[in-house]
Short mmCIF file of all heavy atoms in Angstrom, two decimals:
data_model
loop_
_atom_site.label_atom_id
_atom_site.label_comp_id
_atom_site.label_asym_id
_atom_site.label_seq_id
_atom_site.Cartn_x
_atom_site.Cartn_y
_atom_site.Cartn_z
N ILE A 15 -5.13 -15.76 30.51
CA ILE A 15 -6.46 -16.19 30.05
C ILE A 15 -7.29 -16.54 31.27
O ILE A 15 -7.03 -17.52 31.96
CB ILE A 15 -6.34 -17.38 29.07
CG1 ILE A 15 -5.49 -16.98 27.87
CG2 ILE A 15 -7.73 -17.84 28.64
CD1 ILE A 15 -5.13 -18.13 26.95
N ASP A 17 -10.84 -16.76 31.25
CA ASP A 17 -12.18 -17.24 30.90
C ASP A 17 -12.44 -18.59 31.56
O ASP A 17 -11.53 -19.40 31.76
CB ASP A 17 -12.31 -17.39 29.38
CG ASP A 17 -12.10 -16.06 28.67
OD1 ASP A 17 -12.91 -15.15 28.91
OD2 ASP A 17 -11.13 -15.95 27.90
N LYS A 18 -13.73 -18.84 31.90
CA LYS A 18 -14.08 -20.12 32.52
C LYS A 18 -13.99 -21.24 31.51
O LYS A 18 -13.43 -22.30 31.80
CB LYS A 18 -15.49 -20.05 33.10
CG LYS A 18 -15.57 -19.19 34.35
CD LYS A 18 -16.93 -19.22 34.95
CE LYS A 18 -16.89 -18.39 36.23
NZ LYS A 18 -18.15 -17.92 36.67
N GLU A 19 -14.58 -21.02 30.33
CA GLU A 19 -14.58 -22.06 29.29
C GLU A 19 -13.93 -21.51 28.03
O GLU A 19 -14.15 -20.35 27.67
CB GLU A 19 -16.01 -22.50 28.95
CG GLU A 19 -16.65 -23.38 29.98
CD GLU A 19 -17.97 -23.94 29.48
OE1 GLU A 19 -18.60 -23.31 28.60
OE2 GLU A 19 -18.38 -25.01 29.96
N VAL A 20 -13.16 -22.34 27.35
CA VAL A 20 -12.53 -21.96 26.09
C VAL A 20 -12.61 -23.14 25.12
O VAL A 20 -12.68 -24.30 25.53
CB VAL A 20 -11.04 -21.56 26.29
CG1 VAL A 20 -10.93 -20.25 27.05
CG2 VAL A 20 -10.25 -22.64 26.98
N ARG A 21 -12.64 -22.79 23.82
CA ARG A 21 -12.56 -23.82 22.78
C ARG A 21 -11.08 -23.99 22.45
O ARG A 21 -10.41 -23.03 22.11
CB ARG A 21 -13.34 -23.39 21.55
CG ARG A 21 -13.36 -24.44 20.45
CD ARG A 21 -14.20 -24.00 19.26
NE ARG A 21 -15.55 -23.60 19.61
CZ ARG A 21 -16.59 -24.44 19.73
NH1 ARG A 21 -16.40 -25.73 19.55
NH2 ARG A 21 -17.79 -23.99 20.03
N VAL A 22 -10.59 -25.21 22.53
CA VAL A 22 -9.16 -25.47 22.41
C VAL A 22 -8.85 -26.11 21.06
O VAL A 22 -9.53 -27.05 20.63
CB VAL A 22 -8.67 -26.39 23.55
CG1 VAL A 22 -7.18 -26.60 23.44
CG2 VAL A 22 -9.03 -25.79 24.89
N ILE A 23 -7.81 -25.56 20.40
CA ILE A 23 -7.30 -26.12 19.15
C ILE A 23 -5.87 -26.56 19.43
O ILE A 23 -5.08 -25.81 20.00
CB ILE A 23 -7.34 -25.08 18.01
CG1 ILE A 23 -8.76 -24.61 17.77
CG2 ILE A 23 -6.74 -25.65 16.74
CD1 ILE A 23 -8.89 -23.49 16.78
N SER A 24 -5.54 -27.78 19.01
CA SER A 24 -4.20 -28.30 19.30
C SER A 24 -3.17 -27.68 18.36
O SER A 24 -3.52 -26.99 17.40
CB SER A 24 -4.19 -29.82 19.15
OG SER A 24 -4.25 -30.17 17.78
N GLY A 27 -3.71 -28.47 14.79
CA GLY A 27 -4.85 -27.86 14.12
C GLY A 27 -6.17 -28.55 14.38
O GLY A 27 -7.21 -28.09 13.91
N GLU A 28 -6.19 -29.65 15.13
CA GLU A 28 -7.46 -30.34 15.40
C GLU A 28 -8.11 -29.76 16.64
O GLU A 28 -7.43 -29.30 17.56
CB GLU A 28 -7.22 -31.84 15.55
CG GLU A 28 -6.32 -32.21 16.70
CD GLU A 28 -5.90 -33.66 16.65
OE1 GLU A 28 -5.23 -34.06 15.69
OE2 GLU A 28 -6.26 -34.38 17.61
N GLN A 29 -9.46 -29.79 16.67
CA GLN A 29 -10.19 -29.25 17.81
C GLN A 29 -10.22 -30.27 18.94
O GLN A 29 -10.55 -31.43 18.73
CB GLN A 29 -11.61 -28.90 17.39
CG GLN A 29 -11.66 -27.68 16.50
CD GLN A 29 -13.01 -26.99 16.57
OE1 GLN A 29 -13.79 -27.20 17.48
NE2 GLN A 29 -13.27 -26.16 15.57
N LEU A 30 -9.88 -29.80 20.13
CA LEU A 30 -9.91 -30.67 21.30
C LEU A 30 -11.20 -30.48 22.09
O LEU A 30 -11.43 -31.19 23.06
CB LEU A 30 -8.70 -30.38 22.20
CG LEU A 30 -7.32 -30.58 21.56
CD1 LEU A 30 -6.22 -30.24 22.55
CD2 LEU A 30 -7.16 -32.01 21.06
N GLY A 31 -12.03 -29.53 21.69
CA GLY A 31 -13.32 -29.32 22.33
C GLY A 31 -13.30 -28.14 23.28
O GLY A 31 -12.34 -27.38 23.38
N ILE A 32 -14.42 -28.04 24.04
CA ILE A 32 -14.58 -26.95 24.99
C ILE A 32 -14.20 -27.48 26.37
O ILE A 32 -14.67 -28.53 26.79
CB ILE A 32 -16.02 -26.43 24.99
CG1 ILE A 32 -16.36 -25.84 23.62
CG2 ILE A 32 -16.22 -25.39 26.09
CD1 ILE A 32 -17.80 -25.44 23.44
N MET A 33 -13.31 -26.74 27.05
CA MET A 33 -12.88 -27.13 28.39
C MET A 33 -12.53 -25.89 29.19
O MET A 33 -12.55 -24.77 28.66
CB MET A 33 -11.69 -28.10 28.31
CG MET A 33 -10.47 -27.55 27.60
SD MET A 33 -9.11 -28.70 27.51
CE MET A 33 -9.61 -29.78 26.20
N SER A 34 -12.19 -26.06 30.44
CA SER A 34 -11.82 -24.92 31.27
C SER A 34 -10.43 -24.44 30.86
O SER A 34 -9.62 -25.20 30.32
CB SER A 34 -11.83 -25.30 32.76
OG SER A 34 -10.74 -26.15 33.04
N ALA A 35 -10.14 -23.17 31.16
CA ALA A 35 -8.84 -22.59 30.80
C ALA A 35 -7.71 -23.29 31.54
O ALA A 35 -6.61 -23.46 31.00
CB ALA A 35 -8.84 -21.10 31.08
N LYS A 36 -7.98 -23.75 32.77
CA LYS A 36 -6.95 -24.44 33.55
C LYS A 36 -6.56 -25.77 32.91
O LYS A 36 -5.38 -26.12 32.84
CB LYS A 36 -7.43 -24.66 34.99
CG LYS A 36 -7.49 -23.39 35.80
CD LYS A 36 -7.95 -23.65 37.21
CE LYS A 36 -8.04 -22.33 37.97
NZ LYS A 36 -8.53 -22.53 39.32
N ASP A 37 -7.58 -26.52 32.43
CA ASP A 37 -7.29 -27.80 31.78
C ASP A 37 -6.49 -27.58 30.50
O ASP A 37 -5.56 -28.33 30.20
CB ASP A 37 -8.58 -28.55 31.47
CG ASP A 37 -9.31 -29.02 32.73
OD1 ASP A 37 -8.66 -29.06 33.80
OD2 ASP A 37 -10.52 -29.32 32.62
N ALA A 38 -6.87 -26.55 29.73
CA ALA A 38 -6.16 -26.25 28.49
C ALA A 38 -4.72 -25.86 28.80
O ALA A 38 -3.78 -26.25 28.09
CB ALA A 38 -6.87 -25.13 27.74
N GLN A 39 -4.53 -25.10 29.89
CA GLN A 39 -3.17 -24.69 30.27
C GLN A 39 -2.33 -25.90 30.67
O GLN A 39 -1.15 -25.98 30.34
CB GLN A 39 -3.24 -23.68 31.43
CG GLN A 39 -1.90 -23.10 31.82
CD GLN A 39 -1.26 -22.30 30.70
OE1 GLN A 39 -1.89 -21.45 30.11
NE2 GLN A 39 -0.01 -22.59 30.39
N ILE A 41 -2.63 -28.93 29.46
CA ILE A 41 -2.25 -29.62 28.21
C ILE A 41 -1.08 -28.91 27.56
O ILE A 41 -0.11 -29.53 27.11
CB ILE A 41 -3.46 -29.71 27.25
CG1 ILE A 41 -4.57 -30.58 27.85
CG2 ILE A 41 -3.03 -30.24 25.89
CD1 ILE A 41 -5.87 -30.54 27.08
N LEU A 49 -0.24 -21.35 25.52
CA LEU A 49 -1.67 -21.31 25.25
C LEU A 49 -1.97 -19.87 24.83
O LEU A 49 -1.74 -18.94 25.61
CB LEU A 49 -2.46 -21.69 26.50
CG LEU A 49 -3.96 -21.86 26.32
CD1 LEU A 49 -4.25 -23.05 25.41
CD2 LEU A 49 -4.63 -22.06 27.67
N VAL A 50 -2.46 -19.69 23.61
CA VAL A 50 -2.64 -18.35 23.05
C VAL A 50 -4.11 -18.16 22.69
O VAL A 50 -4.70 -19.00 22.00
CB VAL A 50 -1.78 -18.15 21.78
CG1 VAL A 50 -1.95 -16.75 21.22
CG2 VAL A 50 -0.33 -18.44 22.07
N LYS A 51 -4.70 -17.04 23.15
CA LYS A 51 -6.10 -16.73 22.80
C LYS A 51 -6.08 -16.08 21.42
O LYS A 51 -5.56 -14.99 21.25
CB LYS A 51 -6.71 -15.79 23.83
CG LYS A 51 -8.22 -15.62 23.63
CD LYS A 51 -8.80 -14.55 24.52
CE LYS A 51 -9.08 -15.05 25.90
NZ LYS A 51 -9.90 -14.09 26.69
N ILE A 52 -6.67 -16.77 20.41
CA ILE A 52 -6.61 -16.25 19.04
C ILE A 52 -7.92 -15.61 18.61
O ILE A 52 -7.94 -14.83 17.67
CB ILE A 52 -6.21 -17.36 18.03
CG1 ILE A 52 -7.19 -18.52 18.06
CG2 ILE A 52 -4.79 -17.82 18.29
CD1 ILE A 52 -6.93 -19.57 16.98
N ALA A 53 -9.04 -15.93 19.27
CA ALA A 53 -10.32 -15.32 18.92
C ALA A 53 -11.07 -14.96 20.19
O ALA A 53 -11.95 -15.71 20.63
CB ALA A 53 -11.13 -16.25 18.04
N PRO A 54 -10.74 -13.81 20.82
CA PRO A 54 -11.38 -13.46 22.09
C PRO A 54 -12.86 -13.10 21.95
O PRO A 54 -13.61 -13.22 22.90
CB PRO A 54 -10.58 -12.25 22.57
CG PRO A 54 -9.93 -11.71 21.36
CD PRO A 54 -9.73 -12.86 20.42
N GLN A 55 -13.30 -12.71 20.74
CA GLN A 55 -14.69 -12.29 20.56
C GLN A 55 -15.65 -13.46 20.38
O GLN A 55 -16.85 -13.29 20.47
CB GLN A 55 -14.81 -11.33 19.36
CG GLN A 55 -14.61 -11.96 18.00
CD GLN A 55 -13.15 -12.22 17.65
OE1 GLN A 55 -12.24 -11.89 18.39
NE2 GLN A 55 -12.92 -12.85 16.51
N ALA A 56 -15.13 -14.68 20.16
CA ALA A 56 -15.98 -15.85 19.94
C ALA A 56 -16.63 -16.28 21.25
O ALA A 56 -16.17 -15.96 22.34
CB ALA A 56 -15.16 -16.98 19.35
N LYS A 57 -17.71 -17.03 21.14
CA LYS A 57 -18.40 -17.59 22.31
C LYS A 57 -18.34 -19.09 22.23
O LYS A 57 -19.00 -19.67 21.37
CB LYS A 57 -19.86 -17.14 22.33
CG LYS A 57 -20.05 -15.65 22.43
CD LYS A 57 -19.84 -15.16 23.83
CE LYS A 57 -20.18 -13.69 23.91
NZ LYS A 57 -19.27 -12.89 24.61
N PRO A 58 -17.63 -19.79 23.04
CA PRO A 58 -16.61 -19.34 23.98
C PRO A 58 -15.34 -18.93 23.23
O PRO A 58 -15.16 -19.30 22.07
CB PRO A 58 -16.37 -20.58 24.84
CG PRO A 58 -16.66 -21.72 23.95
CD PRO A 58 -17.78 -21.26 23.05
N PRO A 59 -14.43 -18.17 23.88
CA PRO A 59 -13.20 -17.74 23.21
C PRO A 59 -12.37 -18.93 22.72
O PRO A 59 -12.38 -19.99 23.33
CB PRO A 59 -12.45 -16.98 24.30
CG PRO A 59 -13.49 -16.61 25.30
CD PRO A 59 -14.52 -17.67 25.24
N VAL A 60 -11.66 -18.72 21.61
CA VAL A 60 -10.86 -19.80 21.01
C VAL A 60 -9.41 -19.60 21.42
O VAL A 60 -8.86 -18.51 21.29
CB VAL A 60 -10.99 -19.79 19.47
CG1 VAL A 60 -10.16 -20.90 18.86
CG2 VAL A 60 -12.45 -19.93 19.07
N VAL A 61 -8.80 -20.68 21.91
CA VAL A 61 -7.38 -20.66 22.26
C VAL A 61 -6.67 -21.74 21.45
O VAL A 61 -7.29 -22.72 21.04
CB VAL A 61 -7.14 -20.87 23.77
CG1 VAL A 61 -7.72 -19.75 24.58
CG2 VAL A 61 -7.67 -22.20 24.24
N LYS A 62 -5.38 -21.52 21.21
CA LYS A 62 -4.60 -22.48 20.44
C LYS A 62 -3.34 -22.82 21.22
O LYS A 62 -2.72 -21.96 21.81
CB LYS A 62 -4.24 -21.91 19.07
CG LYS A 62 -3.49 -22.91 18.21
CD LYS A 62 -3.39 -22.46 16.78
CE LYS A 62 -2.49 -23.38 16.02
NZ LYS A 62 -3.12 -24.21 15.09
N ILE A 63 -3.02 -24.10 21.18
CA ILE A 63 -1.78 -24.57 21.79
C ILE A 63 -0.70 -24.44 20.74
O ILE A 63 -0.80 -25.07 19.67
CB ILE A 63 -1.94 -26.03 22.27
CG1 ILE A 63 -3.02 -26.11 23.35
CG2 ILE A 63 -0.62 -26.58 22.77
CD1 ILE A 63 -3.42 -27.50 23.73
#
Side-chain angles (χ1 to χ4, degrees):
I15 301 171
D17 299 297
K18 287 184 177 159
E19 285 188 336
V20 291
R21 183 177 306 274
V22 182
I23 300 174
S24 73
E28 62 191 62
Q29 288 204 18
L30 300 179
I32 297 173
M33 60 180 78
S34 71
K36 288 180 182 178
D37 292 342
Q39 185 63 50
I41 295 171
L49 187 66
V50 181
K51 189 188 278 191
I52 59 173
Q55 70 282 357
K57 299 282 186 225
V60 180
V61 296
K62 183 168 172 109
I63 297 171

